[in-house]
Amino acid sequence: MALLVQKFGGSSVGTVSKIRNVARKVIAAREKGNDMVVVLSAMKGETDRLLDLAHEVCEFPDPREVDSMISTGEQVSIALFAMAVRDMGHEAISLLGSQAGIHTDAIYGKARIDRIDPERIRRELGAGKIVAVAGFQGVDDTENITTLGRGGSDTTAVALAAALKADLCEIFTDVEGVYTTDPNVVKEARKIPRISHDEMMEMASLGAKVLEIRSVQFAKNFNVPLHVRSTFVDTEGTLVVEGGEGMEQQLVTGVAYNKNEARITIFKVPDKPGVAAQVFEAISAANIVVDMIIQNTRAGDMTDISFTVGKTDFKQAMEIVKRVAIEIKAERVMGDQSIAKVSIVGAGMQTNPGVASKMFSALAAEDINISMISTSEIKISCVIDEKYTELAVRVLHKTFGLDKEENNKS
């Protein structure tokens, strides 16, 4: 007997008939002798509908009340699922994040899991029940409902798998696994059978929407085996595992892109110690994540600082930076929301020179200008004009032979 944690996203539970289909799939695994914990997202579109209601009431709704409201989407899903399982002759119980022992900090809308007390879940499993847990939510130390941000149900599932020492965490979605790039952009994109935690974290951070990055971090930290697969097709998906022997053979594993990027530039910043810290401490205090940062030195002890944030944080970040710019006596601040980030990811980059030049040459051949660059051991990212995103993805996918696995070896 194994303990399985399965997560089903909004597209998998978008209608009552789909919820019943998920119930049948879970019951089939239960009838094989497995203990089953199921994490469900809200029905497709429900979270957006609730957020729209909040913004109809006021322009800047209170974050605590927003979390209290949007958490109800998952509550509906797990209750309907438990009803469906019971209707099919099996025992089930639904648990909210707080009932499942998921404790978080108090950053509403972007809460992080502090700890999990899984005893209630273990008791219900011991009683022979399928346990359905609301994804995306928890409770802080003062018993306020919190939510984990977009993609938070993935994080809930993997964190529960870690706390319960589950044998496997399966992430069910509307695609068959992790692909070399977005199949909607490149029809030749291939499903990747195995990918390392590190590569998957880079792909997730760079815009690949199959897994939320914090869920992969949990999986890596606690050695949770992940299987990303389709709810609707009964085929093997993609295993996300520790990087092992042979994983580095793939020069480039995938091409990712993200259009949810905006750039902010502060011109003529005094080039002296502490100024950059003053800028980024103010942004950090607002819980805004900064991605790429570039500093260009000017004559006269001045510098320009450019960095990227998510488009959803752009307006707030601009207000903060404009205020700080006055304090540090910078010349002006400019923002640009018409950018995108295109990236290549692959463990093989660590031992192979020339990957960056090959990437830059491929983009240059299509007259695609690069305005910012960042790298890690297994990633190269470029900021480009948003209008060239799809072209850049197709060019890089072809350049590194991702449509034909045998052409992409280190």
Side-chain angles (χ1 to χ4, degrees):
M1 180 183 291
L3 171 56
L4 304 183
V5 176
Q6 295 184 333
K7 178 263 178 178
F8 294 87
S11 58
S12 300
V13 295
T15 64
V16 169
S17 64
K18 288 183 177 180
I19 290 174
R20 291 186 66 85
N21 178 59
V22 168
R24 283 189 286 269
K25 187 179 289 289
V26 173
I27 287 171
R30 178 72 182 95
E31 290 179 340
K32 292 178 181 178
N34 299 308
D35 285 335
M36 302 300 299
V37 176
V38 185
V39 175
L40 300 181
S41 298
M43 298 172 76
K44 187 174 183 179
E46 181 64 8
T47 301
D48 288 336
R49 185 187 72 84
L50 292 169
L51 285 170
D52 288 343
L53 284 176
H55 287 286
E56 282 184 30
V57 171
C58 56
E59 184 178 1
F60 299 106
D62 179 76
R64 178 192 180 277
E65 304 307 329
V66 169
D67 274 11
S68 181
M69 179 181 65
I70 63 177
S71 65
T72 62
E74 283 70 23
Q75 185 172 350
V76 170
S77 295
I78 58 172
L80 290 173
F81 169 83
M83 293 174 196
V85 170
R86 287 177 172 272
D87 186 58
M88 295 176 190
H90 288 259
E91 289 296 311
I93 187 170
S94 64
L95 299 177
L96 303 179
S98 57
Q99 295 169 321
I102 300 173
H103 298 270
T104 75
D105 60 24
I107 301 175
Y108 300 112
K110 298 179 182 179
R112 301 184 70 85
I113 296 174
D114 287 333
R115 68 187 189 281
I116 294 179
D117 177 6
E119 292 309 312
R120 173 74 184 274
I121 296 176
R122 289 198 178 104
R123 288 201 307 272
E124 302 296 354
L125 290 173
K129 297 176 183 177
I130 294 171
V131 180
V133 178
F136 175 65
Q137 64 178 251
V139 63
D140 68 15
D141 288 340
T142 53
E143 299 185 352
N144 293 305
I145 295 172
T146 58
T147 65
L148 308 181
R150 292 290 186 177
S153 292
D154 289 351
T155 304
T156 300
V158 180
L160 284 174
L164 292 163
K165 295 180 171 55
D167 296 281
L168 180 65
C169 181
E170 296 186 298
I171 307 293
F172 286 89
T173 181
D174 55 358
V175 296
E176 294 184 30
V178 181
Y179 281 74
T180 50
T181 195
D182 184 350
N184 295 314
V185 175
V186 181
K187 63 181 181 179
E188 296 85 5
R190 295 180 300 103
K191 183 169 65 178
I192 304 169
R194 288 166 61 93
I195 187 171
S196 71
H197 287 123
D198 288 334
E199 288 173 314
M200 191 65 244
M201 276 194 289
E202 292 285 13
M203 293 281 282
S205 70
L206 297 168
K209 299 177 177 63
V210 179
L211 282 174
E212 199 271 335
I213 185 171
R214 286 186 295 171
S215 68
V216 188
Q217 184 69 61
F218 261 109
K220 176 179 170 65
N221 290 347
F222 295 96
N223 196 23
V224 176
L226 291 180
H227 188 192
V228 183
R229 59 193 310 187
S230 171
T231 305
F232 310 109
V233 181
D234 192 19
T235 58
E236 289 294 308
T238 298
L239 287 173
V240 184
V241 295
E242 284 192 83
E245 185 177 353
M247 295 291 291
E248 71 276 10
Q249 295 296 314
Q250 202 76 5
L251 179 61
V252 173
T253 301
V255 179
Y257 69 93
N258 188 358
K259 293 183 177 181
N260 184 33
E261 295 272 336
R263 180 174 57 220
I264 297 174
T265 301
I266 316 172
F267 293 93
K268 289 192 175 181
V269 177
D271 191 8
K272 60 183 181 181
V275 173
Q278 191 172 344
V279 173
F280 293 109
E281 282 173 0
I283 296 170
S284 175
N287 296 307
I288 295 173
V289 176
V290 172
D291 185 13
M292 302 170 71
I293 303 173
I294 289 181
Q295 183 168 317
N296 298 315
T297 303
R298 285 172 169 258
D301 294 325
M302 292 290 177
T303 188
D304 298 336
I305 299 176
S306 294
F307 58 93
T308 60
V309 297
K311 281 184 179 175
T312 53
D313 291 321
F314 175 72
K315 183 177 179 181
Q316 184 182 9
M318 280 291 286
E319 292 176 354
I320 293 169
V321 173
K322 285 178 179 178
R323 184 186 71 244
V324 175
I326 295 172
E327 296 172 1
I328 63 177
K329 296 181 172 56
E331 181 185 79
R332 61 191 173 96
V333 177
M334 185 176 72
D336 183 2
Q337 298 187 73
S338 61
I339 65 166
K341 181 169 61 178
V342 179
S343 311
I344 57 173
V345 175
M349 293 185 198
Q350 297 177 82
T351 54
N352 285 269
V355 178
S357 62
K358 189 174 182 180
M359 179 184 188
F360 302 154
S361 296
L363 295 176
E366 299 293 335
D367 290 326
I368 300 174
N369 187 52
I370 301 170
S371 59
M372 299 177 76
I373 300 168
S374 71
T375 65
S376 73
E377 288 186 337
I378 63 170
K379 171 208 72 179
I380 304 170
S381 295
C382 298
V383 169
I384 62 174
D385 285 344
E386 184 179 11
K387 63 184 178 182
Y388 295 119
T389 306
E390 285 77 11
L391 173 60
V393 170
R394 287 192 292 268
V395 166
L396 294 174
H397 195 270
K398 183 177 181 179
T399 296
F400 289 98
L402 290 173
D403 52 338
K404 299 176 182 178
E405 184 176 358
E406 64 271 15
N407 290 343
N408 182 30
K409 297 294 185 180
S410 61

